[in-house]
Amino acid sequence: MHPEVVKGRGGAAPATAGDSAHRLETDALGSITLPARVYYGIHTARAVANFPISGVLLKDHPAFIVALAMVKQAAAQANQQLGLLDGRRASAIVEACDDVRAGRLDTSFVVDMIQGGAGTSTNMNINEVIANRALEILGLPRGTYEHLHPLSHVNLSQSTNDCYPTAIKVALQLQLSDLIRTLESAASAFRTKATEFAHLVKMGRTQLQDAVPMTLGQEFGAYAVMVGEDAQRLREAATLITEVNLGGTAIGTGLNAPAGYPELVCRRLSEISGLKLSVAVDLVEATQDVGAFVQISGVLKRTAVKLSKICSDLRLLSSGPRAGLNEINLPAVQAGSSIMPGKVNPVIPEVVNQVAFQVIGNDVTVTMAAEAGQLQLNAFEPIIADTLFRSIRHLDAACRVLVSRCIEGITANPVHLRDSVMNSIGVVTALTPVIGYAAAAQIAQVAMASGRPVAELATELGGCRQTKWRACCGPRLLSCTQPTIPRKEDHDRFDRCARPARGTGDLYPAAGVLRHPGLQRTRQCANSRH
């Protein structure tokens, strides 16, 4: 049973189940009868029978199909320029490649992505579809390969071992550019929230315990930097896959490719794809080495790990709403329980977590497949390709959902944030330069045992006047991240500004207070000596 052509993105004509028109194709192993209307041929049909493995077919990776067609188009143009392919056939192949790139033949790419043979089945599938479409363009029946052959003409000057990995690299470039843009969009969304939350002071935490105050804006700003850094790391890693082994043919020696072909076909492929590609310095090395794929996978894993960490933070910060941290609110996008009315779960961060887990596991797959290469070829590029494509596509989709369905709708709970700072023992850390570590630890211990505010105990046990307490331990001061060296002319201004803001409580200093902890603490130490 062969997959029938169904209406795809470009509207390929369907073959009905009762269609009596067939064609006979033959290879070294024998003959197979195929529906006359299908674009693929005998080699594809054998692969479909041999590899019913994952159910993820070549057609499920459109970017890879486009990349394969670009490689075949570049090869046809180079072969014509070198006099190996006549203009009539070359033009038909180029036009067929345009149809493939436009998605008009997507449903004809039916081989499983996971396959034996180092990608040969995929190469046969693209060769046969292009050949039969080219025959159609020439006004000839599909399968009349004596006029235009999948291997003699479409695959001319090529091997699976150079065109397949080259197409993987082109497809990765196309997909990575999308992911990079999506990550930059996520970083921008976090920056927007960082600005929105810049005035909201909260408690920072280390090891899930109260640490010192910070702003919610600083927390979200850190997420923006983390995601933005990963976009840059992916951009750097993408430069490793601009070097291709096209023209090396079977093992990199260039057998059956004419002189000048590698440089010419690479130049043509660069023009078609819009990518800056170059011929590998050593084609033998480039044919067997998949280290660039390992690097890409590693950076994808890094991105997944950091995204997962951020999403775990979002789940924790929004936990509750009444029995958790409850510092932020995630958008409610669906009911959370079939038994607990009113429950809403953090489903968007959860799905990003799961994508991250998959990408991390995928990196192990790529690593093992890369290690398993032997001598002049790695036969496991199919699983490397499928794994990388899925990692990129899933990360891209997850980031898009995270931005539109979560980050953009996050709100804060300012009263709860303020109360958590006022009731925290972590602010005592700011007193250590003034009263010493031992005295500060005593205040923390008494506050823990008695439940009394640190500010009250600092006055009672540490000898700090309220004015000095506010100057040293106002959360807005503590959340400052760039202390400066105090200047003499600032001293008079310090005492004038260090007073409570009207209506904001003792822990929130006036807006005019200098916001540099280094200055405040130095002045506090000077005052304590008098």
Side-chain angles (χ1 to χ4, degrees):
M1 180 67 66
H2 307 295
E4 298 292 335
V5 175
V6 297
K7 192 172 182 66
R9 281 193 293 158
T16 61
D19 194 346
S20 59
H22 294 83
R23 70 176 188 262
L24 186 69
E25 291 198 12
T26 302
D27 65 3
L29 300 181
S31 299
I32 291 180
T33 300
L34 298 170
R37 299 179 65 128
V38 299
Y39 284 98
Y40 58 80
I42 187 171
H43 298 292
T44 301
R46 292 196 188 281
V48 169
N50 288 336
F51 308 121
I53 306 300
S54 69
V56 178
L57 308 183
L58 178 54
K59 66 182 179 181
D60 296 321
H61 291 296
F64 192 29
I65 296 173
V66 169
L68 287 162
M70 287 178 176
V71 171
K72 298 299 176 179
Q73 193 169 32
Q77 292 176 347
N79 283 319
Q80 181 187 10
Q81 186 171 339
L82 292 170
L84 299 180
L85 190 64
D86 65 90
R88 183 167 175 264
R89 288 190 178 99
S91 295
I93 291 172
V94 167
E95 186 176 342
C97 289
D98 284 335
D99 287 342
V100 171
R101 291 172 59 191
R104 299 190 182 100
L105 302 168
D106 276 3
T107 54
S108 298
F109 298 102
V110 293
V111 296
D112 200 292
M113 284 296 294
I114 300 179
Q115 57 191 253
T120 297
S121 297
T122 295
N123 191 35
M124 293 293 197
N125 196 171
I126 189 75
N127 286 333
E128 290 174 339
V129 171
I130 291 173
N132 280 307
R133 177 58 186 140
L135 286 168
E136 202 171 49
I137 291 168
L138 293 173
L140 299 168
R142 299 172 198 172
T144 55
Y145 298 142
E146 65 271 20
H147 300 290
L148 194 155
H149 198 278
L151 301 181
S152 299
H153 300 118
V154 179
N155 199 61
L156 182 62
S157 305
Q158 304 156 64
S159 163
T160 295
N161 301 346
D162 64 344
C163 66
Y164 184 79
T166 296
I168 294 174
K169 290 182 176 181
V170 171
L172 286 174
Q173 290 275 8
L174 298 176
Q175 290 186 301
L176 281 173
S177 64
D178 290 338
L179 176 57
I180 289 169
R181 282 192 294 270
T182 301
L183 287 171
E184 289 172 341
S185 174
S188 177
F190 277 123
R191 282 194 296 271
T192 298
K193 287 297 170 182
T195 301
E196 180 183 340
F197 299 149
H199 65 292
L200 298 176
V201 183
K202 57 159 287 177
M203 281 305 297
R205 297 177 180 84
T206 57
Q207 296 164 275
L208 295 180
Q209 307 300 305
D210 292 356
V212 296
M214 65 185 302
T215 68
L216 190 60
Q218 289 171 330
E219 193 158 37
F220 275 73
Y223 298 152
V225 173
M226 290 166 68
V227 176
E229 282 183 346
D230 282 333
Q232 183 58 31
R233 298 295 85 76
L234 283 171
R235 188 176 286 108
E236 293 166 358
T239 62
L240 298 177
I241 51 175
T242 58
E243 186 182 81
V244 299
N245 70 324
L246 195 57
T249 65
I251 63 171
T253 60
L255 182 67
N256 291 348
Y261 174 80
E263 293 75 20
L264 179 57
V265 72
C266 185
R267 186 162 64 250
R268 291 294 190 186
L269 183 56
S270 295
E271 293 168 357
I272 292 168
S273 66
L275 302 172
K276 295 181 180 179
L277 305 173
S278 62
V279 180
V281 175
D282 188 322
L283 290 173
V284 173
E285 179 274 335
T287 301
Q288 62 187 275
D289 183 14
V290 294
F293 297 145
V294 176
Q295 178 74 4
I296 293 289
S297 181
V299 179
L300 290 172
K301 181 180 72 170
R302 167 193 163 125
T303 302
V305 167
K306 291 167 73 173
L307 279 173
S308 187
K309 187 271 181 192
I310 291 171
C311 285
S312 294
D313 283 358
L314 295 179
R315 292 191 294 115
L316 189 58
L317 293 172
S318 64
S319 61
R322 297 191 176 181
L325 295 185
N326 191 31
E327 294 188 347
I328 61 173
N329 308 298
L330 305 184
V333 296
Q334 66 182 62
S337 174
S338 62
I339 190 173
M340 293 172 279
K343 189 172 188 290
V344 177
N345 294 325
V347 294
I348 301 302
E350 286 173 350
V351 77
V352 178
N353 284 133
Q354 291 174 81
V355 168
F357 304 157
Q358 182 188 51
V359 173
I360 293 166
N362 286 347
D363 181 61
V364 177
T365 298
V366 172
T367 301
M368 296 300 295
E371 184 275 335
Q374 296 170 313
L375 303 177
Q376 279 68 59
L377 183 67
N378 187 300
F380 306 105
E381 286 180 345
I383 191 65
I384 292 176
D386 180 58
T387 299
L388 289 176
F389 294 154
R390 284 189 292 112
S391 288
I392 294 171
R393 188 162 66 182
H394 291 181
L395 275 176
D396 183 66
C399 282
R400 289 176 188 272
V401 168
L402 182 64
V403 171
S404 63
R405 305 287 290 173
C406 183
I407 299 172
E408 292 178 346
I410 293 175
T411 59
N413 296 320
V415 174
H416 182 73
L417 290 170
R418 178 178 181 275
D419 289 346
S420 69
V421 177
M422 293 181 69
N423 294 326
S424 173
I425 296 172
V427 294
V428 77
T429 302
L431 292 176
T432 56
V434 179
I435 64 175
Y437 187 93
Q442 181 186 9
I443 291 173
Q445 291 170 354
V446 174
M448 282 285 291
S450 66
R452 294 170 62 190
V454 170
E456 179 182 312
L457 291 171
T459 303
E460 178 182 316
L461 301 178
C464 290
R465 298 195 306 271
Q466 283 295 322
T467 299
K468 292 182 179 180
W469 162 260
R470 287 191 296 268
C472 189
C473 298
R476 290 178 183 172
L477 305 176
L478 295 172
S479 66
C480 231
T481 57
Q482 297 295 330
T484 59
I485 300 174
R487 300 172 301 172
K488 184 178 185 298
E489 54 265 37
D490 290 325
H491 289 183
D492 292 338
R493 186 179 169 207
F494 174 88
D495 285 327
R496 183 175 67 254
C497 294
R499 58 179 177 272
R502 186 175 300 172
T504 58
D506 287 345
L507 287 183
Y508 283 71
V513 172
L514 299 178
R515 297 170 63 86
H516 299 294
L519 173 62
Q520 308 290 6
R521 292 171 186 169
T522 301
R523 181 60 175 166
Q524 178 68 63
C525 290
N527 287 345
S528 67
R529 297 191 188 101
H530 297 306

